[in-house]
PDB file of all heavy atoms in Angstrom:
ATOM      1  N   PRO A 335     166.809 -62.747  10.599  1.00 88.00           N
ATOM      2  CA  PRO A 335     167.646 -63.528   9.666  1.00 88.00           C
ATOM      3  C   PRO A 335     168.965 -62.824   9.300  1.00 88.00           C
ATOM      4  O   PRO A 335     169.767 -63.393   8.537  1.00 88.00           O
ATOM      5  CB  PRO A 335     166.725 -63.630   8.438  1.00 88.00           C
ATOM      6  CG  PRO A 335     165.924 -62.373   8.476  1.00 88.00           C
ATOM      7  CD  PRO A 335     165.739 -62.014   9.881  1.00 88.00           C
ATOM      8  N   ARG A 336     169.219 -61.641   9.821  1.00 86.00           N
ATOM      9  CA  ARG A 336     170.366 -60.849   9.409  1.00 86.00           C
ATOM     10  C   ARG A 336     171.434 -60.684  10.432  1.00 86.00           C
ATOM     11  O   ARG A 336     172.537 -60.191  10.147  1.00 86.00           O
ATOM     12  CB  ARG A 336     169.892 -59.472   8.965  1.00 86.00           C
ATOM     13  CG  ARG A 336     168.962 -59.501   7.781  1.00 86.00           C
ATOM     14  CD  ARG A 336     168.380 -58.135   7.401  1.00 86.00           C
ATOM     15  NE  ARG A 336     167.623 -58.152   6.225  1.00 86.00           N
ATOM     16  CZ  ARG A 336     166.322 -58.425   6.190  1.00 86.00           C
ATOM     17  NH1 ARG A 336     165.711 -58.697   7.337  1.00 86.00           N
ATOM     18  NH2 ARG A 336     165.654 -58.421   5.051  1.00 86.00           N
ATOM     19  N   SER A 337     171.140 -60.977  11.686  1.00 83.00           N
ATOM     20  CA  SER A 337     172.117 -60.757  12.762  1.00 83.00           C
ATOM     21  C   SER A 337     171.895 -61.815  13.858  1.00 83.00           C
ATOM     22  O   SER A 337     171.032 -62.654  13.784  1.00 83.00           O
ATOM     23  CB  SER A 337     171.957 -59.361  13.367  1.00 83.00           C
ATOM     24  OG  SER A 337     170.683 -59.242  13.996  1.00 83.00           O
ATOM     25  N   THR A 338     172.779 -61.730  14.863  1.00 84.00           N
ATOM     26  CA  THR A 338     172.740 -62.659  15.968  1.00 84.00           C
ATOM     27  C   THR A 338     172.402 -61.948  17.269  1.00 84.00           C
ATOM     28  O   THR A 338     172.812 -60.809  17.482  1.00 84.00           O
ATOM     29  CB  THR A 338     174.072 -63.394  16.158  1.00 84.00           C
ATOM     30  OG1 THR A 338     174.037 -64.223  17.369  1.00 84.00           O
ATOM     31  CG2 THR A 338     175.227 -62.373  16.274  1.00 84.00           C
ATOM     32  N   THR A 339     171.704 -62.664  18.142  1.00 83.00           N
ATOM     33  CA  THR A 339     171.327 -62.092  19.462  1.00 83.00           C
ATOM     34  C   THR A 339     172.531 -62.120  20.401  1.00 83.00           C
ATOM     35  O   THR A 339     172.513 -61.504  21.413  1.00 83.00           O
ATOM     36  CB  THR A 339     170.186 -62.903  20.075  1.00 83.00           C
ATOM     37  OG1 THR A 339     169.176 -63.173  19.100  1.00 83.00           O
ATOM     38  CG2 THR A 339     169.587 -62.170  21.241  1.00 83.00           C
ATOM     39  N   ALA A 340     173.614 -62.796  19.951  1.00 88.00           N
ATOM     40  CA  ALA A 340     174.770 -62.982  20.862  1.00 88.00           C
ATOM     41  C   ALA A 340     175.375 -61.691  21.355  1.00 88.00           C
ATOM     42  O   ALA A 340     175.962 -61.643  22.434  1.00 88.00           O
ATOM     43  CB  ALA A 340     175.801 -63.831  20.197  1.00 88.00           C
ATOM     44  N   TRP A 341     175.233 -60.589  20.623  1.00 89.00           N
ATOM     45  CA  TRP A 341     175.776 -59.317  21.074  1.00 89.00           C
ATOM     46  C   TRP A 341     175.153 -58.896  22.389  1.00 89.00           C
ATOM     47  O   TRP A 341     175.727 -58.193  23.187  1.00 89.00           O
ATOM     48  CB  TRP A 341     175.600 -58.240  20.017  1.00 89.00           C
ATOM     49  CG  TRP A 341     176.492 -58.406  18.836  1.00 89.00           C
ATOM     50  CD1 TRP A 341     176.156 -58.817  17.570  1.00 89.00           C
ATOM     51  CD2 TRP A 341     177.884 -58.176  18.795  1.00 89.00           C
ATOM     52  NE1 TRP A 341     177.258 -58.860  16.778  1.00 89.00           N
ATOM     53  CE2 TRP A 341     178.346 -58.460  17.476  1.00 89.00           C
ATOM     54  CE3 TRP A 341     178.863 -57.752  19.752  1.00 89.00           C
ATOM     55  CZ2 TRP A 341     179.665 -58.342  17.118  1.00 89.00           C
ATOM     56  CZ3 TRP A 341     180.199 -57.638  19.381  1.00 89.00           C
ATOM     57  CH2 TRP A 341     180.606 -57.898  18.066  1.00 89.00           C
ATOM     58  N   PHE A 342     173.834 -59.251  22.604  1.00 90.00           N
ATOM     59  CA  PHE A 342     173.176 -58.876  23.837  1.00 90.00           C
ATOM     60  C   PHE A 342     173.491 -59.828  24.999  1.00 90.00           C
ATOM     61  O   PHE A 342     173.151 -59.520  26.143  1.00 90.00           O
ATOM     62  CB  PHE A 342     171.640 -58.899  23.604  1.00 90.00           C
ATOM     63  CG  PHE A 342     171.161 -57.832  22.700  1.00 90.00           C
ATOM     64  CD1 PHE A 342     170.654 -58.141  21.436  1.00 90.00           C
ATOM     65  CD2 PHE A 342     171.250 -56.502  23.027  1.00 90.00           C
ATOM     66  CE1 PHE A 342     170.197 -57.167  20.561  1.00 90.00           C
ATOM     67  CE2 PHE A 342     170.834 -55.490  22.188  1.00 90.00           C
ATOM     68  CZ  PHE A 342     170.314 -55.823  20.935  1.00 90.00           C
ATOM     69  N   TYR A 343     174.213 -60.921  24.711  1.00 90.00           N
ATOM     70  CA  TYR A 343     174.609 -61.862  25.810  1.00 90.00           C
ATOM     71  C   TYR A 343     175.908 -61.371  26.430  1.00 90.00           C
ATOM     72  O   TYR A 343     176.233 -61.766  27.549  1.00 90.00           O
ATOM     73  CB  TYR A 343     174.798 -63.268  25.286  1.00 90.00           C
ATOM     74  CG  TYR A 343     173.642 -63.863  24.605  1.00 90.00           C
ATOM     75  CD1 TYR A 343     173.758 -64.907  23.655  1.00 90.00           C
ATOM     76  CD2 TYR A 343     172.346 -63.431  24.851  1.00 90.00           C
ATOM     77  CE1 TYR A 343     172.652 -65.469  23.042  1.00 90.00           C
ATOM     78  CE2 TYR A 343     171.267 -63.980  24.264  1.00 90.00           C
ATOM     79  CZ  TYR A 343     171.419 -64.989  23.344  1.00 90.00           C
ATOM     80  OH  TYR A 343     170.314 -65.591  22.702  1.00 90.00           O
ATOM     81  N   HIS A 344     176.715 -60.590  25.700  1.00 91.00           N
ATOM     82  CA  HIS A 344     177.931 -59.990  26.264  1.00 91.00           C
ATOM     83  C   HIS A 344     178.918 -61.082  26.759  1.00 91.00           C
ATOM     84  O   HIS A 344     179.614 -60.861  27.733  1.00 91.00           O
ATOM     85  CB  HIS A 344     177.617 -59.028  27.417  1.00 91.00           C
ATOM     86  CG  HIS A 344     176.810 -57.854  26.949  1.00 91.00           C
ATOM     87  ND1 HIS A 344     177.340 -56.698  26.411  1.00 91.00           N
ATOM     88  CD2 HIS A 344     175.455 -57.666  26.978  1.00 91.00           C
ATOM     89  CE1 HIS A 344     176.380 -55.840  26.112  1.00 91.00           C
ATOM     90  NE2 HIS A 344     175.209 -56.389  26.469  1.00 91.00           N
ATOM     91  N   ARG A 345     178.959 -62.208  26.096  1.00 90.00           N
ATOM     92  CA  ARG A 345     179.854 -63.246  26.639  1.00 90.00           C
ATOM     93  C   ARG A 345     180.995 -63.629  25.680  1.00 90.00           C
ATOM     94  O   ARG A 345     181.839 -64.474  25.989  1.00 90.00           O
ATOM     95  CB  ARG A 345     179.057 -64.492  26.906  1.00 90.00           C
ATOM     96  CG  ARG A 345     178.477 -65.159  25.693  1.00 90.00           C
ATOM     97  CD  ARG A 345     177.651 -66.379  26.013  1.00 90.00           C
ATOM     98  NE  ARG A 345     177.087 -66.948  24.827  1.00 90.00           N
ATOM     99  CZ  ARG A 345     175.969 -67.628  24.763  1.00 90.00           C
ATOM    100  NH1 ARG A 345     175.282 -67.739  25.871  1.00 90.00           N
ATOM    101  NH2 ARG A 345     175.516 -68.108  23.649  1.00 90.00           N
ATOM    102  N   ASP A 346     181.022 -62.987  24.492  1.00 91.00           N
ATOM    103  CA  ASP A 346     182.035 -63.355  23.536  1.00 91.00           C
ATOM    104  C   ASP A 346     182.710 -62.066  22.933  1.00 91.00           C
ATOM    105  O   ASP A 346     182.137 -61.014  22.992  1.00 91.00           O
ATOM    106  CB  ASP A 346     181.404 -64.126  22.337  1.00 91.00           C
ATOM    107  CG  ASP A 346     180.787 -65.427  22.788  1.00 91.00           C
ATOM    108  OD1 ASP A 346     181.498 -66.272  23.299  1.00 91.00           O
ATOM    109  OD2 ASP A 346     179.576 -65.611  22.559  1.00 91.00           O
ATOM    110  N   SER A 347     183.931 -62.266  22.501  1.00 92.00           N
ATOM    111  CA  SER A 347     184.636 -61.169  21.836  1.00 92.00           C
ATOM    112  C   SER A 347     184.121 -61.007  20.419  1.00 92.00           C
ATOM    113  O   SER A 347     183.397 -61.880  19.914  1.00 92.00           O
ATOM    114  CB  SER A 347     186.127 -61.451  21.838  1.00 92.00           C
ATOM    115  OG  SER A 347     186.411 -62.588  21.030  1.00 92.00           O
ATOM    116  N   ALA A 348     184.474 -59.934  19.791  1.00 92.00           N
ATOM    117  CA  ALA A 348     184.058 -59.690  18.370  1.00 92.00           C
ATOM    118  C   ALA A 348     184.569 -60.796  17.440  1.00 92.00           C
ATOM    119  O   ALA A 348     183.836 -61.283  16.610  1.00 92.00           O
ATOM    120  CB  ALA A 348     184.557 -58.351  17.921  1.00 92.00           C
TER     121      ALA A 348
END
Side-chain angles (χ1 to χ4, degrees):
R336 298 175 175 86
S337 65
T338 173
T339 315
W341 288 107
F342 294 112
Y343 303 156
H344 298 276
R345 68 181 177 210
D346 298 301
S347 66

